[in-house]
């Protein structure tokens, strides 16, 4: 999952709605795509965290997801 998260973040930075020079409609389309992908990752993130807590393991942090979540929230305000 960790590797998947890093690839997702890299793709978001290279091909996401923040890419310079893209049209607003294309940025909105990309925003929708990455929001959907993020929701899938977020579900897994919460499930893994709950499992770690259940078994008394240290909770793994995913700063890439935390940063992406915040950026998507801010971009959502911009595009809505």
């Amino acid at each position: 999952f960790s590797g998947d998260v890093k690839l997702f973040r890299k793709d978001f930075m290279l091909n996401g709605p923040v890419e310079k020079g893209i049209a607003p409609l294309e940025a909105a389309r990309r925003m929708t795509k990455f929001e959907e992908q993020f929701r899938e990752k977020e579900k897994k993130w919460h499930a893994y965290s709950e499992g770690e807590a259940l078994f008394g393991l240290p909770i793994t942090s995913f700063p890439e997801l935390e940063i992406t979540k915040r950026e998507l929230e801010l971009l959502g305000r911009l595009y809505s």
Side-chain angles (χ1 to χ4, degrees):
F1 182 68
S2 205
D4 190 31
V5 167
K6 289 178 196 258
L7 287 174
F8 171 71
R9 178 66 186 172
K10 183 177 180 181
D11 189 33
F12 179 78
M13 293 306 297
L14 294 174
N15 304 306
V18 294
E19 183 181 350
K20 291 181 182 179
I22 60 172
L25 287 176
E26 176 62 17
R29 186 191 67 74
R30 291 181 185 192
M31 177 74 182
T32 302
K33 171 189 162 189
F34 279 96
E35 281 178 322
E36 289 172 6
Q37 290 179 3
F38 177 80
R39 280 193 294 272
E40 292 173 19
K41 305 268 183 284
E42 189 176 37
K43 285 179 189 177
K44 288 182 182 179
W45 178 21
H46 288 294
Y48 292 146
S49 295
E50 289 172 1
E52 289 171 331
L54 178 67
F55 292 105
L57 300 170
I59 304 297
T60 305
S61 67
F62 294 98
E64 297 91 346
L65 288 179
E66 294 168 9
I67 292 166
T68 305
K69 180 179 182 174
R70 180 70 180 139
E71 289 175 351
L72 285 171
E73 288 171 352
L74 293 173
L75 288 167
R77 291 181 192 166
L78 179 66
Y79 291 117
S80 62

